[in-house]
Amino acid sequence: STVAFAAAVPAVRLHLQAGSFDPVVDRAPVLPNEDRLPAAASQLGLGNTRYLLVQFSEPVRRDWQTAITETGAKVVGYVPDFALIVRATAAQESAVEGLPSIHWTGALKPSWRVEPGILGRLRSPAATGVRWTVVVHDGEEAADVAATVHRRLPAVRIFREAKGKFSVAASP
């Protein structure tokens, strides 16, 4: 008699500010007070694009990254282990999802990019006057993102900083 063994696929974890997990196997991390993140924060993408994570099961190869950019999507960052942050339209996202060698793709949740503990402090009276630095991805204009934040969250004050970042503070 013959016994077949399935090759075990090693866990491939994402390591984010919110925690580490294998998106194929584990539940995504939920931050304490995540419900305090303004609903508008999930809609802060510019135009008709959004950010997603594209994770591979091994170190990212140049030809895989090229295949993503050939869909018209833009690679804007890296997340350990083996994941790229990609800005894409819905059509580009569909094309990326169809590429070979991908372990997992999914939306990059805003809360995954927030330092643990910060959400609980956002609405605290002590937060008034505290500045929070926002760093934008390559290819984004900090002024455009700041304007979008201000339109969607008018109660915050915006402070200009260096190229690629700005600060926000809760208004008194």
Side-chain angles (χ1 to χ4, degrees):
S1 100
T2 306
V3 177
F5 292 96
V9 176
V12 181
R13 302 185 71 73
L14 286 172
H15 302 282
L16 306 165
Q17 287 283 355
S20 296
F21 69 105
D22 180 337
V24 172
V25 177
D26 303 326
R27 296 176 75 191
V30 176
L31 292 176
N33 298 309
E34 184 170 1
D35 60 319
R36 292 186 177 188
L37 185 66
S42 65
Q43 302 163 1
L44 290 178
L46 299 176
N48 62 349
T49 62
R50 73 180 192 142
Y51 290 98
L52 56 138
L53 290 174
V54 178
Q55 188 182 42
F56 299 92
S57 57
E58 58 186 279
V60 180
R61 295 184 354 202
R62 186 175 305 275
D63 59 321
W64 295 342
Q65 190 167 341
T66 300
I68 290 172
T69 59
E70 287 176 348
T71 69
K74 181 172 173 79
V75 175
V76 297
Y78 174 82
V79 172
D81 286 339
F82 319 138
L84 298 173
I85 301 172
V86 175
R87 185 174 58 239
T89 64
Q92 292 163 346
E93 182 177 350
S94 292
V96 167
E97 288 173 343
L99 295 173
S101 305
I102 293 177
H103 176 70
W104 177 83
T105 62
L108 177 57
K109 289 178 59 175
S111 61
W112 291 351
R113 299 168 50 187
V114 177
E115 175 187 328
I118 210 169
L119 295 176
R121 297 189 307 259
L122 273 175
R123 299 197 190 250
S124 162
T128 301
V130 175
R131 288 190 182 191
W132 311 90
T133 300
V134 177
V135 179
V136 299
H137 291 290
D138 289 341
E140 299 284 6
E141 291 295 328
D144 294 341
V145 176
T148 301
V149 169
H150 186 65
R151 273 194 314 276
R152 299 216 173 129
L153 305 169
V156 300
R157 291 181 295 157
I158 307 289
F159 300 91
R160 306 280 185 228
E161 289 193 10
K163 181 178 177 164
K165 66 181 179 178
F166 60 94
S167 292
V168 297
S171 295

